[in-house]
Amino acid sequence: TLPFSNLGQGSIPARNWVWEHALSEGAKRHWILDDNISGFYRLHRNLKTPVGSGAIFRAAEDFSDRYSNVAISGFNYFMFASRKSGAIKPFTLNTRIYSCILIRNDISYRWRGRYNEDTDLSIRALKDGYCTVLFNAFLAGKSQTMTMKGGNTDELYKDDGRLKMAQSLKDQHPNIVEITQKWGRYQHHVDYSVFSRNKLALDPNAKIPSLPNNYGMELEILNQDDSRAEFDTVEIEESEFTFDPDAEEA
């Protein structure tokens, strides 16, 4: 339990407290998850299958630990990984990690600012030569921005909050961030192509299995009479409301 309540500073104090707590426990990495994630999925063979096990977290941890320079990794949003867009890679290298984040504890940064802290942290790590890994094989069912009351919706997004958010990130990283407008609201756009030189460095002690490891996951076929709340999901089609502002533009 956090030793404080809402301080009016968004998620920053809570996230930094979690980081320090993880360090005090001697952990190598820690997870930070937003509180509006409805479920988790495995994208495999062109299907997004609900996952009822924590195995995907362990798989992501093991993959991240294979490399000595992965500072931040995490799951992509369900709505940003289109199963209809053709072949999608199991992960995207050197981009932002949002909302469901695995962080290496010994990196020197901490959460800062008030807006776009996920993107800011990713960019700082990338600028110092680290890699980030965004898993597309594992997805988080994240509610769309500004669709839930409370939290950052009330504190950060109201009035001209969208412009303040975009301007804050541009002020922090003016060489790679631009402010744009899409669908009547301000957005930031980050040029991640400058980090293509950041390459994964295999840890010399890494042990990579020769055979696929499904971490005990098995596909369970549910019939129409089954009622399991955690699997009650509707596929969200891509639309203007599911656009990733940091995606590479064609």
Side-chain angles (χ1 to χ4, degrees), residues 191-212:
D191 178 12
Y192 288 99
S193 65
V194 298
F195 304 118
S196 60
R197 65 184 181 276
N198 298 17
K199 305 298 183 182
L200 290 172
L202 186 66
D203 189 299
N205 297 316
K207 297 180 180 179
I208 301 177
S210 58
L211 297 176

Side-chain angles (χ1 to χ4, degrees), residues 27 39 80 93 106 123 131 140 152 191 197 229 231 239 249:
F80 289 164
L93 192 63
D106 64 354
I123 292 174
C131 289
N152 286 343
D191 178 12
R197 65 184 181 276
F231 292 158
S239 71
E249 294 184 354

Side-chain angles (χ1 to χ4, degrees), residues 98-168:
Y98 290 156
S99 304
C100 185
I101 310 169
L102 178 62
I103 302 172
R104 207 173 90 180
N105 290 333
D106 64 354
I107 57 178
S108 61
Y109 324 106
R110 291 297 182 270
W111 299 100
R112 67 176 184 179
R114 184 174 174 85
Y115 304 102
N116 292 311
E117 64 270 21
D118 296 359
T119 305
D120 170 56
L121 186 68
S122 297
I123 292 174
R124 283 188 281 157
L126 289 166
K127 282 184 172 180
D128 283 346
Y130 288 107
C131 289
T132 64
V133 174
L134 181 68
F135 292 100
N136 300 311
F138 307 131
L139 306 172
K142 179 79 159 58
S143 298
Q144 297 172 17
T145 301
M146 303 176 69
T147 60
M148 293 182 66
K149 294 182 179 180
N152 286 343
T153 300
D154 294 338
E155 293 178 2
L156 305 183
Y157 297 134
K158 64 182 180 181
D159 301 327
D160 59 348
R162 300 295 304 190
L163 176 57
K164 289 180 179 178
M165 290 173 66
Q167 186 63 55
S168 173

Side-chain angles (χ1 to χ4, degrees), residues 6 27 62 156:
N6 191 343
D62 286 352
L156 305 183

